[in-house]
Amino acid sequence: MSLELVSVSKRRGTFRLEGISIRAEDGGILGIAGPNGAGKSTLLKVMAGILPPDSGTMTIDGRDISSMSLRERAGKISILFQETPAPFNFGVKDVIRTSGYFIGGREDNIDRVLESVGIAELGGRPFHELSGGEKRLVMLSALLYQNTKVCLFDEPFSFLDVDKEMRIARTIRKLRDEDRLVIVTMHDINGLLRLADSALLMKKGVQVAYGTVGDVITVENIYRTYGVRFAEYDSPEGRRMVPEESMAIQERVV
Amino acid sequence: MHGKYLTSLVSGRRSQLSTRSAVIAVIFFVVLIVSLSIGTVQIPPMIVAEIILSQIPFLGAHFASGFSQVQYEIVVLLREPQILGAVVIGASLGVGGAVIQSIFKNPITEPYVIGISSGAALGAVLAIAGSVYIFGAYTVGGMAFIFSLLVVFLVYFASIRRGKVPMVYLLLMGIAISLFVSAIVAFLLFSNIRLQGAVFFWLLGSLQEMTWPKVEIITGINILMIMVSLLYSRELDAFQMGEEYASSVGVSVERTKILLIATITLGVSSCVAVAGLIGFVGLVIPHVSRIIFGGSNRSVVPASAVLGSVFLLISEDIAHSRLFGGEVIPIGIITSLIGVPFFMFLMVRLAGGFYES
């Protein structure tokens, strides 16, 4: 299975996403990074089919998603949004059930997805009583419940404890190992180095670099994207990057 | 071990909910029968039950014995239209509130905010002021209905932005246009003293003018509206998660919104046309349902229908009780007078959780 964007452009108010072209295959994780306002979330919403592109096409296995019915699309692509929803008085299971909309009534797997994220004990709780991190895990369960080949994650690690971060990263890797296509936007360059197989760097709505993580995450590309000089070093977990300025501070402290 | 605990927890909640449903169903039927039996002439509830059963086609003959012709006529011709009207209008406003609050994702909205009430008021006032008789005896109601639809149309089309209707626009346009229309109504009332008495009762909301033909019309429209709302309860749940989320799980957002707004407008406008502006039900009954049954619209929509009916029946009984100087009070006054303290009690004692966060 493959997902392909050909020179996709989208205007939203004064912001413009321009000429994005990528091709991603299943069994891989594509990380998208860039400064605030680079258009990562907009791009992800275009990929989810929520925002139709103004020009260009997006296809899954050669089929244009604009030609699919909404239900068919929802059976192929799921998305974990950055914002946590706030429904009135929903239970955790009411929340998860909503993501199975396109399959109609069936709800045999709700307990299973809660267990696979490790939050079976939250199943009977009211959603609004949960902490922000627990809510994120419930939304992750909802995404798993939708059970799609393409899974999109918009800043899944922001504002999380390390244990919940690990749980989400583990789930994302598991989805890749199940031969799904995972696309993740994130702020943390080192997080991206740890998690992703390929990377897309964006700035002000255009793509700066796209390819394998090794090719894309370089000192020059990072500078072109963020305007910040990074230095790289090898660590036991592999290649890592750190802003030169903070290295200088560290050296001074040492 | 853990799994078993969870299952019992879940089934415990489920049985708790079915107990609550059963209690509410019993309350509904008791209130219904009691409402038919009280009034200036008291008729024993058992006799009322017999009269109701006697109205069932074919089977009815078995029960047509224990009551007088006068009792039959009081129940069937005088009380049943008002009581059935209360049932239908209560259900309509309750369901309308549940649907509107879900699609607006806003707990302080109700069907009237999109222009239904102000439009209906304008239609009614124009009908009386202009001495219009286009629909014979139904002119005031008919004009109220048509103007209600017109104002909602206007609000909806004024809110379209790049092919979509953002809910914040719709809400603000609804409030703004409603205020504008209400100002016209106020001006007409101000400039024509004759109007004030005639329109006054209608503006306060009243079931006194209910007749069988009116009940039949609103029952038909509102059964349709409630059925559509029940069918779309899963879409409504998705809407509560946000419009982009709803779209991502396969809901056709704009199409569903226009369908539901149109259906609710038809149903609620028909009720407002025959009974005037009965406030408070559409705003509060959905919250009462959520507090009792949880927020999923699979329970909130049907619960709002039944609780709205029960609430309006009790209000109608109090309006008729002549506790206040021997007059029948317009029901719209009662709904707020008894509804607000009851709702405050419910908020304080039961709500917690979502309502505090």
Side-chain angles (χ1 to χ4, degrees):
Chain A
M1 197 216 43
S2 68
L3 180 148
E4 189 167 11
L5 270 69
V6 181
S7 44
V8 163
S9 296
K10 175 76 194 172
R11 256 189 78 161
R12 272 185 112 186
T14 56
F15 175 77
R16 210 175 144 73
L17 195 69
E18 188 107 37
I20 306 287
S21 294
I22 56 170
R23 184 189 162 82
E25 301 283 340
D26 52 8
I29 298 172
L30 165 63
I32 302 177
N36 296 326
K40 303 181 295 275
S41 295
T42 304
L43 177 60
L44 221 58
K45 283 170 188 172
V46 170
M47 287 179 176
I50 300 167
L51 297 177
D54 297 333
S55 62
T57 54
M58 175 180 153
T59 54
I60 291 180
D61 286 336
R63 268 193 68 201
D64 197 319
I65 64 159
S66 63
S67 72
M68 296 178 192
S69 75
L70 294 180
R71 281 167 188 253
E72 185 185 0
R73 193 194 73 204
K76 290 184 191 294
I77 312 169
S78 55
I79 176 167
L80 180 69
F81 290 95
Q82 202 173 335
E83 309 82 19
T84 308
F88 311 148
N89 258 24
F90 272 29
V92 163
K93 289 186 179 179
D94 295 327
V95 168
I96 295 175
R97 201 177 285 121
T98 58
S99 78
Y101 169 76
F102 69 98
I103 35 177
R106 210 191 72 209
E107 51 185 76
D108 39 344
N109 287 329
I110 292 185
D111 288 314
R112 225 192 54 200
V113 294
L114 284 170
E115 265 166 44
S116 77
V117 180
I119 51 167
E121 74 282 1
L122 299 183
R125 294 269 302 278
F127 185 66
H128 56 78
E129 280 181 5
L130 307 181
S131 72
E134 287 172 328
K135 283 179 181 166
R136 184 81 53 84
L137 293 179
V138 171
M139 297 318 294
L140 175 67
S141 311
L143 177 138
L144 296 181
Y145 186 59
Q146 201 171 336
N147 191 20
T148 57
K149 270 291 203 180
V150 179
C151 305
L152 310 175
F153 293 82
D154 197 2
E155 298 287 351
F157 304 114
S158 56
F159 312 118
L160 285 189
D161 306 337
V162 67
D163 74 308
K164 297 192 180 69
E165 199 180 308
M166 299 309 294
R167 250 190 258 196
I168 292 184
R170 205 183 304 138
T171 307
I172 287 176
R173 288 200 184 89
K174 209 176 114 202
L175 288 169
R176 173 194 46 202
D177 297 343
E178 290 167 3
D179 271 341
R180 299 177 205 247
L181 168 56
V182 183
I183 301 177
V184 189
T185 67
M186 49 204 299
H187 267 100
D188 178 14
I189 297 294
N190 289 315
L192 195 145
L193 280 171
R194 274 198 301 270
L195 189 70
D197 306 304
S198 54
L200 168 66
L201 288 178
M202 295 174 70
K203 184 184 182 180
K204 290 183 182 158
V206 280
Q207 71 187 63
V208 177
Y210 170 63
T212 63
V213 167
D215 291 344
V216 169
I217 307 298
T218 61
V219 171
E220 304 81 72
N221 282 340
I222 297 292
Y223 183 71
R224 280 205 292 153
T225 311
Y226 293 93
V228 175
R229 284 267 167 225
F230 272 64
E232 53 185 324
Y233 63 96
D234 283 312
S235 79
E237 307 98 62
R239 194 160 63 97
R240 290 293 175 264
M241 308 202 84
V242 64
E244 277 183 352
E245 202 173 314
S246 61
M247 268 179 100
I249 293 167
Q250 279 175 358
E251 278 161 11
R252 243 176 282 146
V253 171
V254 170
Chain B
M1 184 58 195
H2 201 59
K4 208 176 241 174
Y5 166 73
L6 266 176
T7 330
S8 73
L9 200 76
V10 170
S11 66
R13 168 131 182 95
R14 218 169 263 164
S15 70
Q16 197 187 9
L17 290 184
S18 44
T19 312
R20 289 178 188 183
S21 312
V23 169
I24 287 168
V26 170
I27 291 175
F28 172 74
F29 284 109
V30 170
V31 172
L32 188 68
I33 300 289
V34 169
S35 302
L36 284 167
S37 68
I38 59 177
T40 5
V41 180
Q42 299 284 344
I43 299 171
M46 286 310 291
I47 302 281
V48 170
E50 259 185 69
I51 294 174
I52 293 174
L53 291 171
S54 79
Q55 288 175 273
I56 301 171
F58 307 116
L59 292 173
H62 298 287
F63 301 97
S65 58
F67 49 86
S68 70
Q69 183 65 21
V70 175
Q71 285 175 327
Y72 180 85
E73 281 176 6
I74 288 173
V75 169
V76 174
L77 297 180
L78 292 179
R79 289 184 189 166
E80 278 185 356
Q82 290 182 10
I83 295 306
L84 206 58
V87 170
V88 173
I89 293 166
S92 174
L93 293 173
V95 170
V99 172
I100 292 291
Q101 287 174 2
S102 283
I103 53 182
F104 277 98
K105 264 180 75 58
N106 186 332
I108 56 165
T109 50
E110 54 156 343
Y112 293 167
V113 296
I114 50 175
I116 292 175
S117 54
S118 61
L122 181 62
V125 170
L126 282 177
I128 300 170
S131 304
V132 183
Y133 292 102
I134 39 172
F135 307 112
Y138 300 111
T139 299
V140 174
M143 289 277 283
F145 184 65
I146 289 168
F147 273 80
S148 175
L149 300 191
L150 282 177
V151 171
V152 177
F153 262 120
L154 180 65
V155 167
Y156 194 87
F157 284 105
S159 308
I160 296 176
R161 287 290 172 281
R162 278 182 254 125
K164 290 185 176 179
V165 176
M167 286 288 118
V168 177
Y169 265 103
L170 191 60
L171 188 57
L172 291 174
M173 282 293 176
I175 291 170
I177 292 174
S178 292
L179 284 172
F180 183 78
V181 172
S182 301
I184 299 175
V185 172
F187 180 74
L188 288 170
L189 289 175
F190 170 76
S191 56
N192 192 336
I193 299 295
R194 183 173 62 91
L195 272 176
Q196 292 171 1
V199 181
F200 195 50
F201 264 77
W202 187 88
L203 287 177
L204 294 175
S206 168
L207 297 174
Q208 289 299 96
E209 307 287 315
M210 289 300 280
T211 55
W212 270 111
K214 288 182 185 172
V215 171
E216 280 161 11
I217 294 170
I218 63 166
T219 305
I221 297 176
N222 283 287
I223 285 178
L224 190 75
M225 176 196 116
I226 293 168
M227 298 273 283
V228 170
S229 304
L230 285 170
L231 279 174
Y232 277 83
S233 59
R234 296 173 63 240
E235 281 83 349
L236 290 170
D237 280 357
F239 271 117
Q240 288 214 356
M241 303 288 290
E243 288 190 11
E244 288 187 334
Y245 179 94
S247 170
S248 80
V249 298
V251 176
S252 173
V253 172
E254 293 301 320
R255 206 185 53 109
T256 308
K257 255 178 357 196
I258 196 168
L259 175 92
L260 286 170
I261 289 174
T263 316
I264 296 302
T265 304
L266 277 178
V268 174
S269 296
S270 71
C271 293
V272 171
V274 297
L277 302 179
I278 298 174
F280 194 73
V281 183
L283 175 67
V284 158
I285 291 298
H287 290 297
V288 177
S289 308
R290 287 186 197 108
I291 289 168
I292 299 175
F293 291 100
S296 171
N297 284 290
R298 298 187 312 166
S299 350
V300 172
V301 171
S304 297
V306 179
L307 291 171
S309 296
V310 170
F311 179 63
L312 220 52
L313 282 172
I314 294 173
S315 302
E316 174 67 358
D317 293 344
I318 294 173
H320 272 263
S321 67
R322 292 164 208 264
L323 290 172
F324 313 95
E327 292 275 345
V328 175
I329 315 272
I331 191 169
I333 296 175
I334 304 295
T335 52
S336 297
L337 275 185
I338 66 163
V340 172
F342 170 69
F343 184 63
M344 286 168 74
F345 165 79
L346 211 63
M347 289 289 282
V348 172
R349 293 297 300 277
L350 295 173
F354 166 76
Y355 292 89
E356 281 168 20
S357 58

